[in-house]
Amino acid sequence: MSVLSGKKVLLGITAGIAAYKTAGLVRLFIKQGAEVQVIMTPASKDFITPLTLSTLSKNPVHSTFYDKESENELWNNHVELGLWADLMLIAPATANTLSKMVNGVCDNLLLATYLSSKCPVYFAPAMDLDMYIHPSTKNNLEKLQRFGNVMIPATSGELASGLVGEGRMAEPEDMVSFITKDLLSKLPLKGKKILLTAGPTYEAIDPVRFVGNHSSGKMGFAIAKTAANLGAEVILIAGPTAETIQHSFVKRIDVKSAEEMYTQAHRYFKDTDIAILSAAVADYRPKNVATQKIKKKEATMEIVLEKTKDILASLGELKEQQLLVGFALETTNETENAKGKLKKKNLDLIVLNSLQDKGAGFATNTNKITIIDKNLSAQTFELKSKDAVAIDIMNAIVAKL
Ligand code: CTP
């Protein structure tokens, strides 16, 4: 999955001949899974039509503060557009627009949106050779980068004027790969290795039966996705679950029993930076596993169970540099029990779910958690989707690094 997947991209187009290439640019962003909105300066419409861009972006194109032709005369709120975006790219960025951006001029919707945006802003200069090497342009490019904007440098080549030299806007493919690399390099968990257990375990009684639980794995898989989106390399050790995940940063290892999960967790723990054990591991397993299917005979039957190894506690004993995060699913005396587990298992954080809370726990799409840290300070969150809970958990982890 691309780092651009799900990202909201605001593409600002100014009046340079390279504007014709932005049709391809919009398509590339969409192909990466991004959502695109386009703002054009009025003059840029001479180079490419808004219809092309609205068709490709599947969104209306904005270019004025309000739509004169529309019956409703809707105000295009530049503040909202700026806040909507996860990133803004101004391409092509002409010498004129660059100089206005430097000086805070906002005489069109694009410039007003740029001034109100809070997201990372990329700009791709495009102009003729002599304009590009003019000291005032050089000065503007430097200033814009000092403001925190990221420049996608112009390349050398044949220019529309027929001159050959610097000033050509980077090709759409190169802009997308530049932004992808830049975003990846700034992710908070870049280079971090995460070990994550998820889902239930099944403990065999005989070849067709098992002792298990209702864990769906949804919470663990949501954490895997969130962690990978933050740049971490995730080893996801998953018990039997219907959940799926497609992410180039996630390596999934399927296991069935607590013993298999234990073996895999220990295999990867040494090189791990963060271990998150969200699996609902069976605490007991049948002492003797029948090799053949057990036939029904008596009115009652007994299965002798023995304790499984506590994976989390065993990692707590081995812990060195790793940040260790456990889960606690409780029904009574929740906070005290969770704090007890945090201490006993030598954890850095524990995520508490209470089955007293409606919408929390197994097989739902929502969860309600409290995160308790080593100093026993607790933060309770509202009922949220498991995806949103995963973000809260990962934020708490990032804050501890
Ligand atoms: N856990 C584990 N291995 C086990 C049992 C639990 O790694 N054999 C982990 C879970 O993944 C979870 C945490 O331990 O992160 C809490 O598990 P829980 O079953 O609630 O706690 P227990 O210590 O087993 O206590 P109890 O069942 O008595 O509540």
Side-chain angles (χ1 to χ4, degrees):
M1 198 171 73
S2 162
V3 70
L4 285 166
S5 175
K7 286 265 179 313
K8 297 187 177 97
V9 175
L10 195 54
L11 174 62
I13 302 176
T14 73
I17 178 66
Y20 82 91
K21 292 186 180 174
T22 55
L25 186 57
V26 172
R27 290 194 72 166
L28 285 173
F29 277 128
I30 301 266
K31 232 171 138 184
Q32 299 286 315
E35 203 183 323
V36 182
Q37 290 211 60
V38 176
I39 308 182
M40 304 179 77
T41 60
S44 72
K45 292 183 193 166
D46 292 334
F47 294 95
I48 183 163
T49 71
L51 183 61
T52 304
L53 296 160
S54 61
T55 307
L56 293 174
S57 68
K58 300 183 183 72
N59 272 315
V61 167
H62 315 285
S63 80
T64 50
F65 287 99
Y66 63 96
D67 298 322
K68 283 186 195 135
E69 269 114 65
S70 146
E71 279 177 20
N72 302 323
E73 291 207 350
L74 272 183
W75 169 253
N76 287 320
N77 191 327
H78 56 89
V79 177
E80 259 172 35
L81 277 170
L83 294 181
W84 171 84
D86 294 318
L87 71 95
M88 185 171 187
L89 166 62
I90 302 176
T94 58
N96 183 38
T97 292
L98 293 174
S99 122
K100 288 181 178 179
M101 283 164 72
V102 167
N103 292 296
V105 176
C106 48
D107 60 358
N108 62 41
L109 182 69
L110 172 49
L111 288 162
T113 308
Y114 159 71
L115 266 187
S116 7
S117 68
K118 292 206 169 110
C119 60
V121 177
Y122 297 84
F123 65 98
M127 64 201 73
D128 217 5
L129 172 65
D130 297 321
M131 295 167 86
Y132 195 68
I133 57 174
H134 194 281
S136 64
T137 307
K138 292 263 170 241
N139 190 24
N140 286 340
L141 296 177
E142 273 168 31
K143 274 193 183 157
L144 282 175
Q145 291 177 88
R146 248 183 281 134
F147 292 167
N149 303 297
V150 183
M151 179 164 84
I152 306 178
T155 59
S156 266
E158 197 178 328
L159 301 162
S161 62
L163 292 175
V164 177
E166 242 186 327
R168 214 160 86 150
M169 184 177 79
E171 291 301 320
E173 288 81 3
D174 296 333
M175 281 195 266
V176 171
S177 96
F178 181 102
I179 293 171
T180 303
K181 276 195 201 131
D182 189 65
L183 290 176
L184 281 174
S185 73
K186 289 172 182 163
L187 289 174
L189 292 178
K190 187 182 154 33
K192 296 277 180 225
K193 291 198 170 82
I194 294 190
L195 168 71
L196 174 65
T197 66
T201 64
Y202 287 180
E203 311 302 325
I205 298 171
D206 68 15
V208 294
R209 303 178 181 97
F210 60 83
V211 177
N213 61 65
H214 290 298
S215 166
S216 62
K218 281 178 201 283
M219 193 63 251
F221 275 65
I223 294 171
K225 195 177 80 184
T226 307
N229 285 342
L230 293 172
E233 281 172 49
V234 182
I235 302 284
L236 170 62
I237 304 171
T241 162
E243 290 299 302
T244 56
I245 190 157
Q246 295 293 334
H247 200 299
S248 51
F249 286 7
V250 179
K251 177 176 165 180
R252 174 174 177 169
I253 296 167
D254 286 311
V255 295
K256 274 211 177 81
S257 64
E259 186 63 30
E260 286 169 18
M261 192 173 270
Y262 177 94
T263 305
Q264 293 300 335
H266 278 262
R267 191 170 150 205
Y268 290 100
F269 186 63
K270 199 169 183 308
D271 292 330
T272 290
D273 298 297
I274 303 158
I276 308 168
L277 275 70
S278 72
V281 186
D283 288 326
Y284 290 90
R285 66 180 177 194
K287 190 162 186 214
N288 299 305
V289 182
T291 50
Q292 304 297 326
K293 186 179 167 209
I294 301 169
K295 289 286 182 194
K296 61 176 171 300
K297 287 185 217 128
E298 317 299 332
T300 61
M301 82 172 277
E302 281 176 12
I303 300 172
V304 179
L305 300 175
E306 65 180 2
K307 261 193 176 164
T308 56
K309 292 176 190 154
D310 191 320
I311 307 167
L312 183 59
S314 67
L315 298 184
E317 280 171 25
L318 291 177
K319 197 174 86 169
E320 287 171 354
Q321 82 289 354
Q322 298 92 342
L323 189 101
L324 187 57
V325 184
F327 275 65
L329 180 63
E330 305 290 341
T331 50
T332 51
N333 208 11
E334 296 93 336
T335 311
E336 281 323 300
N337 285 343
K339 285 180 180 170
K341 278 179 196 170
L342 179 106
K343 288 267 172 229
K344 199 171 106 197
K345 300 193 188 187
N346 191 21
L347 311 182
D348 297 287
L349 289 176
I350 192 156
V351 181
L352 164 67
N353 298 287
S354 167
L355 280 187
Q356 305 273 19
D357 291 322
K358 257 196 162 168
F362 287 168
T364 60
N365 287 322
T366 53
N367 205 358
K368 183 165 178 0
I369 59 157
T370 298
I371 300 179
I372 306 170
D373 71 12
K374 246 175 150 164
N375 307 321
L376 304 184
S377 80
Q379 191 183 2
T380 299
F381 296 82
E382 321 240 286
L383 183 75
K384 295 180 180 184
S385 73
K386 284 190 172 164
D387 284 339
V389 171
I391 292 171
D392 290 336
I393 293 171
M394 289 315 302
N395 281 343
I397 290 172
V398 170
K400 290 283 167 208
L401 293 178

